[in-house]
Amino acid sequence: MASENIRLPKHDQEILNQILNPSLPFVEEDDNENKKLEEGVESEEVKAAKLLEVAGVKSAETGNIDVAIEFFTEAMTVAPLWPSPYNNRAQALRLKGDIEGAKTDLNKALELSNGEGSVACQAFTQRGLIRKKEGDEEGAKADFTRASELGSRFCKQVLASMNPYAALCNQMLSDVMHKMRSGEA
């Protein structure tokens, strides 16, 4: 049977694509069963902070990183116990190259979130990426593991790629698929 005629389920196609194209970004879908909702009633301070965060995100998306940082900092002042603006400012600081500032904000976001919920998931992911870039493989693995436990599919993929046996298996599978496509198999 020719390989072009095989129909794989979407999930299997995504996994195979990640194996064969490991350098492509892995896009996470919203998965409500894996998302933890932030508990509690929002205070007026948190509502105001969220509006500031939205303005900060919009500023960052248009390339105004300094303005975005100002919005996130103001959100932190309005609601100092709300972890989200710390996480968002960390991303903006990372874009500016202030890695130490980003790590400080990520640690604060994790402290305020008690390492739970969607903000913690994002903070663990960001901190894991920083640690990996700095060569701290064990620290990165620990952060990616926590993020994956909180529902990050991206981190599950990263953890799989960090496994040397999985990398070898992926390379062998890639070689076999290449041979099949070129008619060598």
Side-chain angles (χ1 to χ4, degrees):
M1 177 176 205
S3 62
E4 298 87 34
N5 296 333
I6 298 174
R7 285 289 201 175
L8 296 174
K10 183 179 179 192
H11 177 70
D12 292 349
Q13 290 174 352
E14 291 170 357
I15 291 172
L16 188 57
N17 188 46
Q18 284 300 304
I19 291 170
L20 298 176
N21 302 298
S23 61
L24 293 178
F26 185 77
V27 178
E28 292 193 51
E29 298 174 7
D30 280 342
D31 190 350
N32 290 331
E33 70 188 51
N34 287 328
K35 281 192 172 183
K36 293 189 176 188
L37 298 174
E38 309 301 336
E39 293 185 21
V41 178
E42 286 183 2
S43 67
E44 291 304 314
E45 291 82 10
V46 169
K47 288 177 184 177
K50 283 185 172 185
L51 292 174
L52 291 165
E53 285 184 272
V54 168
V57 170
K58 286 181 181 177
S59 295
E61 287 174 345
T62 61
N64 296 318
I65 304 302
D66 290 328
V67 173
I69 290 171
E70 289 175 18
F71 278 119
F72 298 138
T73 301
E74 188 175 348
M76 292 158 59
T77 302
V78 169
L81 300 179
W82 181 247
S84 182
Y86 293 90
N87 186 62
N88 285 321
R89 189 173 76 171
Q91 178 66 17
L93 290 171
R94 251 181 13 128
L95 291 171
K96 282 196 62 136
D98 182 359
I99 303 305
E100 290 307 312
K103 288 194 288 190
T104 298
D105 280 357
L106 291 171
N107 290 335
K108 186 68 173 178
L110 290 168
E111 174 190 325
L112 292 173
S113 67
N114 295 315
E116 296 296 328
S118 60
V119 172
C121 181
Q122 294 168 0
F124 278 122
T125 300
Q126 281 196 76
R127 194 173 72 178
L129 291 169
I130 290 171
R131 286 177 164 177
K132 185 159 177 55
K133 186 174 182 180
E134 293 179 335
D136 178 6
E137 293 291 316
E138 289 306 310
K141 186 176 180 181
D143 281 345
F144 292 145
T145 298
R146 279 297 291 131
S148 112
E149 290 168 353
L150 292 170
S152 174
R153 291 182 183 180
F154 169 78
C155 286
K156 288 177 185 175
Q157 173 64 30
V158 171
L159 284 169
S161 71
M162 291 174 77
N163 179 330
Y165 296 109
L168 179 61
C169 181
N170 289 345
Q171 181 60 48
M172 291 180 352
L173 181 59
S174 179
D175 291 345
V176 168
M177 294 301 288
H178 176 72
K179 288 179 180 180
M180 286 178 60
R181 286 186 193 135
S182 64
E184 295 177 40

